[in-house]
Amino acid sequence: MQTTMLIAQNNAPLRDMGAATGAATFLRNMGGSLGVSVLGALYTSRLSDTFTANAGTSVGAENAGGTVAQMTPQALRDLPESVQHPFAQAVSDGIDTAFAWGAGAAVIGIVLALFIRHVPLRGFGDTPTPPAPAAATTAAEGATAS
């Protein structure tokens, strides 16, 4: 996260540094929220599809008071062993799907990072020094004239 913040701050003029930092933070938070939502939806979809395919129907989940995605640990323990195993397999398949999509997104991010233009970090040592205040200059001139 620090690298993207440095890129944003280094490419922005000093007067826009706060806006660049805020935009980078906002986009990082929104990307994280969107990523969690999409991967959660993929996990839930794969969980439901795999459980329905392995168990035939989601009768066990409906008897437990909801859908497969709403299964609680207590409700799962109360179900027969013939339903528990397909559910465990469905959870495993859902996690595999979420991680596969997450890995794909990471690969895309790495490829995009290869195209980031290198800009040397700017420092404060090479900036011009500000002129001395006018009051201090006139006092120094008056002392030299005397």
Side-chain angles (χ1 to χ4, degrees):
M1 291 188 286
Q2 187 61 31
T3 304
T4 57
M5 189 63 67
L6 282 174
I7 290 170
Q9 290 175 342
N10 194 48
N11 286 320
L14 286 177
R15 64 178 162 58
D16 294 332
M17 183 103 33
T21 302
T25 302
F26 173 75
L27 292 172
R28 183 177 61 234
N29 287 338
M30 289 303 294
S33 297
L34 183 64
V36 167
S37 298
V38 168
L39 292 178
L42 287 168
Y43 167 77
T44 302
S45 174
R46 182 69 174 170
L47 171 80
S48 298
D49 293 346
T50 303
F51 184 75
T52 301
N54 289 345
T57 62
S58 57
V59 173
E62 290 171 359
N63 289 341
T67 64
V68 176
Q70 297 171 334
M71 181 75 67
T72 64
Q74 182 58 42
L76 181 62
R77 281 191 288 273
D78 293 341
L79 294 175
E81 182 66 35
S82 62
V83 176
Q84 289 181 8
H85 180 69
F87 185 79
Q89 182 64 42
V91 168
S92 178
D93 287 351
I95 291 172
D96 286 349
T97 299
F99 273 89
W101 279 90
V107 167
I108 291 170
I110 290 170
V111 170
L112 290 175
L114 294 174
F115 294 102
I116 294 176
R117 181 176 45 98
H118 175 70
V119 177
L121 291 177
R122 67 174 171 236
F124 292 102
D126 55 351
T127 57
T129 57
T137 306
T138 54
E141 289 172 0
T144 355
S146 313

